[in-house]
Amino acid sequence: MEGEIYNFFKVCITALMSLCYCYIVGRIIPKGTRRLLPILPVVALFLYLPLNLSAVNLIGQTSFIISWLGNSKLLLFAFGKGPLSSDPPISLPRFLAIACLPIKIQRTPLKKSPQRTQNTKDHTRSPQNGHHKENPLPQNPENIRPKTILLLNYPIKALLFVMLLRVYDYGDHFHPNLILLIYCCHLYLALDLILSSIQATARAAFGMELEPQFREPYLSSSLQDFWGKRWNLMVTNILRLTIYEPVHYAASVAIGRKWAALPAVMASFLVSGLMHELMFFYMGRVKPTWEVMWFFVLHGACLVIEVVVKRKCGTKWRLPRVLTGLMTVTFVMVTASWLFFPQLLKDGVIKKALEEYAAAGEFLKDVGRAVMSWIL
């Protein structure tokens, strides 16, 4: 345990020093190919860093945050795009936070109280009646839900996460398919809790208003809604900037703007599948079997079909939201149980991750006993 923590700190320090180097490069070299060339060695280093770890939970977080998101942000930064680029340039601490953490700054300022809303001087004219109307709040569920619900949201999710960990102790009494569905819930809760904790730390340290990473994906009404507006929005934003927009532009020239979104969507899912395969390789250290890639190919194809059907049928044949929501969540969980999790089971990744959770729990218990004995 101590050796793995030491290796993790070495990885973090190496990443921070590399990002400081990239920040200096960005200040002295103009954007474009000239800036890209000195940044490419850092991209290669970020792909190598997860191989220095053996704990699958640390590998998963490091490969996701550094090898995927961090590299994507650096490649965008090389060409003066993405969250690391601004005019004037952002400070070094903020550059490091945005580059090495899965966070996205809230661009639209939030109104803090009804009184401030009434006194604001920022108005827009309503196209319907010509009267002045105040700017609406961003369409962020966290701005609409009562504060009590927000305060209880993550404690409830943490409790559910702990309860799921206890369920695995009795896994022999459950049907294997039910265990796979539990893995779906476990994955969502783990990602949401980890990314929200990172967000809270960044918000407290830098005073930045950050966009949420998840927006209740279990309430999705369609695959478009699930992948585009609710599930892991940091990845959605990065794929939009790095893959979707360039492919959309090229496809607009080749086949016209009307259908350019379809190959752009498919390309985004293909890249996402490749990156997930890379992350699974880091965690399992075995040759890919490509089930995860097929999971994203299937979802990309189904989303393309969904877009085409909606364009052809319009609103005349739209199904009730309750039905489409149930169909969407069921489709995601069933296909994940079929294609996404079996590779982790075969590689022993999930078993090892659960053992690490148990070891971490015992470590925290020992720390708690030591603290209590010292106090008493």
Side-chain angles (χ1 to χ4, degrees):
M1 175 69 76
E2 292 81 4
E4 185 66 8
I5 294 175
Y6 175 71
N7 289 336
F8 180 68
F9 276 112
K10 285 201 305 183
V11 167
C12 292
I13 293 173
T14 303
L16 289 174
M17 293 178 62
S18 301
L19 290 172
C20 291
Y21 159 77
C22 292
Y23 181 79
I24 296 172
V25 168
R27 297 299 297 267
I28 62 178
I29 300 179
K31 62 183 179 182
T33 306
R34 290 177 58 192
R35 183 188 293 182
L36 174 65
L37 293 177
I39 287 179
L40 284 179
V42 176
V43 173
L45 176 64
F46 279 11
L47 291 173
Y48 167 75
L49 287 179
L51 296 174
N52 292 274
L53 302 171
S54 58
V56 296
N57 287 289
L58 293 179
I59 293 172
Q61 296 175 38
T62 303
S63 59
F64 171 63
I65 295 173
I66 295 180
S67 301
W68 187 356
L69 297 184
N71 272 343
S72 298
K73 294 173 186 176
L74 288 179
L75 292 174
L76 290 169
F77 174 68
F79 294 96
K81 300 179 180 180
L84 298 178
S85 300
S86 66
D87 190 16
I90 59 179
S91 64
L92 177 59
R94 183 165 290 205
F95 181 92
L96 295 176
I98 296 174
C100 64
L101 295 177
I103 58 176
K104 183 175 185 291
I105 298 178
Q106 180 78 51
R107 297 299 182 183
T108 307
L110 305 180
K111 297 177 175 59
K112 297 182 179 179
S113 66
Q115 182 179 1
R116 180 181 174 186
T117 301
Q118 293 173 0
N119 295 335
T120 184
K121 295 181 180 180
D122 186 15
H123 296 81
T124 55
R125 186 170 298 275
S126 172
Q128 285 84 4
N129 51 29
H131 293 264
H132 285 291
K133 184 179 180 180
E134 296 187 12
N135 285 333
L137 288 173
Q139 295 302 309
N140 184 340
E142 295 197 8
N143 301 331
I144 301 172
R145 293 179 294 175
K147 289 185 177 180
T148 304
I149 297 179
L150 290 176
L151 291 174
L152 294 175
N153 187 19
Y154 290 106
I156 292 175
K157 289 179 178 178
L159 178 61
L160 290 173
F161 180 77
V162 174
M163 291 173 62
L164 286 181
L165 291 179
R166 298 298 299 170
V167 168
Y168 295 130
D169 295 337
Y170 307 94
D172 295 338
H173 302 284
F174 295 98
H175 193 278
N177 291 335
L178 178 59
I179 294 296
L180 289 174
L181 294 178
I182 292 175
Y183 287 150
C184 296
C185 301
H186 181 174
L187 176 65
Y188 162 62
L189 292 172
L191 287 175
D192 198 10
L193 290 170
I194 291 171
L195 296 180
S196 297
S197 299
I198 295 174
Q199 269 201 331
T201 303
R203 186 183 293 110
F206 299 98
M208 296 183 293
E209 189 61 42
L210 305 176
E211 294 186 0
Q213 299 299 324
F214 293 87
R215 289 178 174 163
E216 284 75 37
Y218 46 83
L219 299 179
S220 301
S221 60
S222 64
L223 287 178
Q224 279 183 288
D225 189 31
F226 179 85
W227 290 112
K229 299 179 181 179
R230 294 183 180 274
W231 181 264
N232 209 346
L233 299 180
M234 183 73 254
V235 171
T236 300
N237 182 64
I238 286 295
L239 287 173
R240 177 179 60 81
L241 294 173
T242 56
I243 306 299
Y244 180 89
E245 290 183 355
V247 174
H248 188 278
Y249 175 79
S252 297
V253 176
I255 62 176
R257 292 186 59 84
K258 182 178 180 180
W259 301 107
L262 304 186
V265 166
M266 203 65 212
S268 300
F269 275 89
L270 289 172
V271 171
S272 182
L274 287 172
M275 294 309 300
H276 278 83
E277 288 285 359
L278 178 62
M279 291 170 58
F280 279 33
F281 169 76
Y282 285 138
M283 291 187 286
R285 308 291 167 86
V286 295
K287 184 179 179 181
T289 54
W290 304 107
E291 286 107 326
V292 177
M293 184 67 178
W294 281 112
F295 171 82
F296 286 96
V297 169
L298 175 62
H299 276 255
C302 290
L303 200 153
V304 166
I305 294 172
E306 182 180 285
V307 171
V308 173
V309 170
K310 286 182 177 179
R311 288 185 181 180
K312 293 294 185 180
C313 299
T315 59
K316 293 187 297 183
W317 302 101
R318 184 163 296 177
L319 298 172
R321 181 184 176 87
V322 174
L323 181 58
T324 59
L326 180 61
M327 293 170 59
T328 300
V329 174
T330 301
F331 179 76
V332 171
M333 296 183 73
V334 169
T335 53
S337 301
W338 171 35
L339 294 171
F340 194 87
F341 290 105
Q343 183 170 331
L344 293 177
L345 287 171
K346 286 185 291 187
D347 299 343
V349 172
I350 292 180
K351 180 181 178 181
K352 191 175 180 181
L354 294 177
E355 292 173 351
E356 291 172 4
Y357 284 132
E362 291 299 323
F363 175 77
L364 292 176
K365 288 180 182 179
D366 293 340
V367 172
R369 294 190 192 102
V371 171
M372 291 301 297
S373 63
W374 180 77
I375 294 175
L376 299 176

